[in-house]
Amino acid sequence: MSGQSLLVPGELSPARSVPGNIRRPEYVGKPAPTPYTGPEIQDSDTIERMRIAGRIAAQAMEEAAKHISPGVTTDELDRVAHDFMIDHGAYPSTLGYRGYPKSLCSSVNEVICHGIPDSTVLRDGDIVNLDVTAYINGVHGDNNATYLCGDVDEESRLLVERTRESLARAIKAVKPGRQINVIGRVIESYAKRFGYGVVRDFTGHGINSSFHSGLIIPHYDSPHATTVMQPGMTFTIEPMLTLGTHEYDMWEDGWTVVTKDRRRTAQFEHTLVVTETGAEILTLP
């Protein structure tokens, strides 16, 4: 694999501002969100609003990804996504969520998830995950993808390609009447073909007017994930696959999660709604 040196925390830029006319999620300015007590099955109006939020999130991620190249800071990627969401009337859902300081997550190389954009400079051969969530009209849309920066080694490139494929296979497994654990079963069985680790402690989640509704979507075959999928349920699937162990360490910032063996990891995510026949992706640009 790549011989890149391991990441270290960079310097944070000041918090980015959001115009006062843009509606904030209820958790902004609080230590934690109010627990969600509503239904996991959403009505057609909520789903239509989630299509809008999902589209803005996908477009913001796409716009930020255009700037991925050696020499660019992860903070610059955050700026691009932040400005895009603001320009489209959306609030960056991560900004102020449980105190998170930025408008997207940027997870480079051995970072599994929740990397904080800072002065870190992308290098030739890096892989970088961008995780973008937009809040507009009272609902969230959440997606992420892993991108190649410059000339990436074959082992890392295949990891990214296969992680994307694991998400595609998981989405195809979504059907009303099936238990949630079919999603993780499909991901885990595919990942095992290549000897990849499947991260267990960070999962997909229910999403709607709540960023995280309480519904859990494991990416491994969990005997506990027996909730039956029904039309109108909205949730994310976001597999995290690793070249080595699925075990992790967390940086002192309380957010940045890195593989315990410091080998590389990739992730892809969409927000979905269960339909009468399968799943509709709500985070399409």
Side-chain angles (χ1 to χ4, degrees):
M1 66 173 284
S2 169
Q4 296 279 43
S5 59
L6 298 178
L7 292 170
V8 295
E11 296 293 324
L12 283 181
S13 65
R16 304 191 195 283
S17 63
V18 178
N21 64 316
I22 292 179
R23 179 178 171 185
R24 272 85 166 142
E26 60 82 23
Y27 52 74
V28 174
K30 299 179 181 179
T34 302
Y36 179 71
T37 57
E40 296 296 349
I41 297 171
Q42 307 304 312
D43 60 27
S44 58
D45 173 67
T46 302
I47 293 167
E48 179 54 35
R49 287 184 283 129
M50 289 182 68
R51 287 190 186 98
I52 295 168
R55 182 167 64 249
I56 292 171
Q59 290 172 337
M61 183 176 73
E62 196 173 60
E63 192 63 31
K66 292 177 184 176
H67 295 260
I68 292 174
S69 64
V72 173
T73 64
T74 54
D75 187 66
E76 173 64 9
L77 304 179
D78 181 78
R79 183 197 65 77
V80 172
H82 177 94
D83 289 351
F84 186 95
M85 285 185 272
I86 297 307
D87 289 347
H88 288 77
Y91 185 92
S93 300
T94 60
L95 184 61
Y97 179 78
R98 297 183 181 271
Y100 187 83
K102 291 296 176 180
S103 298
L104 59 69
C105 299
S106 56
S107 301
V108 180
N109 296 344
E110 69 269 20
V111 179
I112 295 171
C113 57
H114 305 157
I116 301 174
D118 57 19
S119 61
T120 297
V121 176
L122 296 178
R123 302 161 297 182
D124 186 56
D126 283 343
I127 60 174
V128 55
N129 178 275
L130 301 182
D131 193 336
V132 180
T133 310
Y135 177 79
I136 190 170
N137 298 325
V139 297
H140 301 267
D142 184 4
N143 68 165
N144 76 55
T146 303
Y147 300 90
L148 309 182
C149 181
D151 185 17
V152 175
D153 68 274
E154 181 75 354
E155 185 178 41
S156 299
R157 188 187 63 75
L158 285 172
L159 173 68
V160 171
E161 182 181 300
R162 289 164 177 166
T163 306
R164 182 191 293 111
E165 175 64 17
S166 77
L167 173 59
R169 289 173 180 236
I171 292 171
K172 288 179 182 177
V174 173
K175 295 282 190 301
R178 291 180 172 177
Q179 293 183 343
I180 289 289
N181 57 15
V182 71
I183 293 169
R185 190 174 307 134
V186 166
I187 293 167
E188 188 172 42
S189 63
Y190 179 70
K192 279 184 174 179
R193 288 168 49 181
F194 311 103
Y196 295 155
V198 180
V199 173
R200 301 167 75 90
D201 289 355
F202 299 89
T203 67
H205 52 88
I207 184 170
N208 38 66
S209 60
S210 172
F211 194 171
H212 300 89
S213 73
L215 178 66
I216 301 298
I217 313 294
H219 302 122
Y220 64 98
D221 189 3
S222 169
H224 306 295
T226 55
T227 300
V228 174
M229 292 182 269
Q230 302 176 60
M233 288 180 73
T234 50
F235 53 80
T236 72
I237 304 176
E238 44 189 298
M240 291 151 263
L241 305 186
T242 69
L243 288 175
T245 182
H246 68 270
E247 296 180 344
Y248 66 92
D249 294 319
M250 186 175 288
W251 282 4
E252 290 183 3
D253 61 23
W255 286 104
T256 306
V257 179
V258 296
T259 54
K260 188 170 280 292
D261 58 10
R262 303 303 191 264
R263 298 195 71 193
R264 288 186 168 190
T265 175
Q267 181 184 17
F268 284 84
E269 173 187 24
H270 275 304
T271 296
L272 313 170
V273 58
V274 181
T275 68
E276 296 292 340
T277 57
E280 176 193 346
I281 298 172
L282 299 178
T283 39
L284 292 176

